């Protein structure tokens, strides 16, 4: 084998290795993009759930305040009935 033949074989082998490395790198990039999309979706869902939780907590606080007002009104009316001689 002369130098030209060795050079040609080296070029062919190098191109095969380069193609294999490109294919492997592309596969890794695709996987990274897919995992990145999953993480983005997870973060979006988490943000939505946290917003809903904040909203539900404020609704719960309003309902508790309303219940406390109703209990206070019931207590006031029971006392008024008792003062007037009735039985609550």
């Amino acid at each position: 084998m002369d130098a030209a033949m060795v050079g040609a074989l080296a070029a062919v082998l190098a191109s095969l290795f380069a193609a294999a490395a490109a294919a492997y790198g592309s596969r890794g990039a695709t996987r990274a993009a897919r995992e990145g999309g999953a993480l983005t979706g997870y973060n979006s869902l988490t943000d939505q759930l946290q917003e809903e939780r904040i909203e539900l907590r404020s609704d719960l606080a309003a309902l508790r305040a309303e219940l406390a007002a109703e209990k206070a009104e019931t207590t006031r009316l029971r006392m008024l009935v008792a003062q007037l001689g009735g039985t609550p």
Side-chain angles (χ1 to χ4, degrees), residues 10-26:
V12 168
L13 288 176
S15 66
L16 288 175
F17 284 125
Y24 181 76
S26 174

Side-chain angles (χ1 to χ4, degrees), residues 9-79:
L9 283 175
V12 168
L13 288 176
S15 66
L16 288 175
F17 284 125
Y24 181 76
S26 174
R27 192 174 88 191
T30 303
R31 184 181 324 131
R34 184 176 56 239
E35 289 172 0
L39 288 177
T40 302
Y42 176 78
N43 287 337
S44 175
L45 180 60
T46 302
D47 290 343
Q48 288 175 356
L49 289 173
Q50 287 175 345
E51 289 173 6
E52 287 179 17
R53 185 177 181 184
I54 290 169
E55 184 179 323
L56 289 173
R57 282 181 183 243
S58 66
D59 289 348
L60 180 61
L63 289 173
R64 284 182 175 166
E66 185 179 333
L67 180 61
E70 293 290 334
K71 284 183 178 181
E73 179 67 12
T74 303
T75 302
R76 185 187 73 79
L77 291 173
R78 285 181 187 263
M79 290 176 61

